[in-house]
């Protein structure tokens, strides 16, 4: 008989959030969720995209097709994990160990995201200034004149990739420490509330990898060691 099981802490939090006197307990879960989520985003979305860029950059066809999307994904994911603060996921402070030089690199990536990739603004930093250039012109050939618009846009920037990899590595290491600290804090709070019937009932809520990921190697990998598991939902093509 297979006696393994998993507790779905996210469902536990949702089930107990209605109880004000358990606010400290549910907040501890949410703080852990935020740290674990940021860590996954930095490891899989940012560093994973950069690794793929490194693999394809010598393949001209693949680079032209995919490098822009990978670079955009890496930049947006990094800023979402380290810069954005929203109700959906609390900010965890993964950048707190940055040196002054790394803080400057972080500002350049944020400027690239805010002023070029996510919005059409006025970049002030190196990467944003090099990413896109557009010129409105009038072409004159003999007696003929016509308006022309010229645009050059980077697929990716080597300097930005180097900065992103350095920053993502440092912030992911910090996020891992924060995640582990918050897991310890949650365990301590659980011991405090373990006898509460409401907590006992909620902690019976189970996580089913096959239901969450769909049957297959990703779901099977959930039970292998301590590594976090990330899967992608494939869109259906009509």
């Amino acid at each position: 008989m297979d006696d393994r099981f998993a507790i779905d802490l996210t469902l536990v939090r949702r089930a107990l959030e209605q109880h004000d006197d358990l606010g400290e307990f549910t907040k501890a879960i949410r703080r852990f969720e935020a740290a674990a989520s940021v860590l996954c985003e930095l490891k899989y979305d940012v560093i994973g995209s950069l690794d793929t860029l490194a693999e394809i950059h010598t393949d001209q066809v693949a680079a032209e097709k995919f490098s822009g999307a990978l670079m955009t994904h890496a930049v947006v994911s990094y800023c979402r994990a380290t810069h954005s603060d929203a109700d959906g996921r609390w900010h965890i402070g993964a950048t707190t160990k940055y040196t002054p030089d790394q803080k400057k690199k972080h500002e350049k990536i944020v400027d690239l995201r805010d002023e070029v990739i996510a919005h059409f603004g006025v970049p002030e930093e190196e990467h944003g200034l090099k990413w896109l250039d557009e010129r409105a012109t009038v072409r004159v050939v003999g007696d003929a004149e016509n308006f022309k618009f010229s645009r050059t846009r980077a697929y990716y920037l080597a300097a930005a990739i180097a900065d992103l990899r350095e920053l993502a590595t440092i912030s992911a290491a910090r996020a891992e420490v924060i995640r582990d600290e918050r897991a310890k804090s949650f365990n301590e709070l659980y011991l405090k509330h373990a006898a509460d019937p409401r907590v006992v009932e909620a902690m019976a809520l189970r996580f089913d990898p096959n239901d969450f990921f769909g049957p297959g190697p990703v779901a099977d990998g959930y039970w292998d060691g301590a590594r976090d598991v990330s899967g992608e939902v494939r869109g259906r093509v009509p």
Side-chain angles (χ1 to χ4, degrees):
M1 178 181 293
D2 190 353
D3 60 352
R4 65 187 184 184
F5 66 89
I7 301 168
D8 194 324
L9 288 179
T10 299
L11 292 183
V12 171
R13 172 179 60 78
R14 293 172 183 172
L16 297 176
E17 280 179 329
Q18 60 182 306
H19 302 292
D20 292 341
D21 59 322
L22 293 175
E24 185 183 23
F25 183 76
T26 57
K27 182 178 179 180
I29 297 176
R30 191 170 183 187
R31 283 167 52 81
F32 171 77
E33 287 174 315
S37 175
V38 166
L39 177 58
C40 277
E41 190 153 42
L42 290 168
K43 286 172 60 177
Y44 298 122
D45 297 341
V46 182
I47 296 176
S49 292
L50 297 179
D51 287 344
T52 303
L53 264 172
E55 292 173 6
I56 70 171
H57 84 280
T58 57
D59 183 330
Q60 183 176 353
V61 174
E64 289 181 356
K65 285 184 176 181
F66 306 118
S67 59
L70 288 165
M71 184 69 186
T72 296
H73 186 55
V75 170
V76 171
S77 297
Y78 171 79
C79 290
R80 186 167 53 229
T82 63
H83 178 66
S84 301
D85 191 9
D87 292 338
R89 182 178 68 189
W90 292 347
H91 192 69
I92 73 165
T95 66
T96 54
K97 296 299 183 181
Y98 282 0
T99 65
D101 180 61
Q102 288 166 345
K103 290 179 182 178
K104 179 62 178 175
K105 292 176 179 178
H106 174 77
E107 291 172 2
K108 291 193 291 186
I109 297 299
V110 171
D111 178 74
L112 176 60
R113 182 267 181 197
D114 287 351
E115 303 299 334
V116 180
I117 291 178
H119 307 282
F120 199 109
V122 181
E124 298 180 355
E125 303 288 348
E126 172 190 354
H127 302 325
L129 291 170
K130 292 182 177 180
W131 188 263
L132 176 68
D133 195 2
E134 297 180 333
R135 305 296 175 90
T137 64
V138 176
R139 185 178 65 178
V140 181
V141 180
D143 295 332
E145 299 178 2
N146 66 313
F147 291 102
K148 299 286 287 185
F149 189 78
S150 299
R151 177 176 186 261
T152 179
R153 181 184 183 278
Y155 288 128
Y156 59 89
L157 297 172
I161 288 175
D163 287 351
L164 263 177
R165 186 172 290 280
E166 177 184 355
L167 296 172
T169 300
I170 297 298
S171 55
R174 179 60 183 151
E176 186 168 10
V177 170
I178 294 170
R179 180 202 62 183
D180 293 346
E181 290 173 348
R182 293 181 176 184
K184 181 179 178 181
S185 296
F186 168 74
N187 279 330
E188 293 171 353
L189 279 171
Y190 172 66
L191 292 176
K192 178 180 176 181
H193 295 283
D196 189 313
R198 298 167 298 176
V199 174
V200 172
E201 180 180 3
M203 292 293 283
L205 294 168
R206 296 294 181 248
F207 175 79
D208 183 347
N210 286 322
D211 182 57
F212 187 75
F213 294 110
V218 176
D220 294 341
Y222 175 85
W223 302 108
D224 297 336
R227 180 180 181 274
D228 290 326
V229 184
S230 179
E232 298 293 338
V233 177
R234 297 180 181 272
R236 291 185 175 86
V237 179

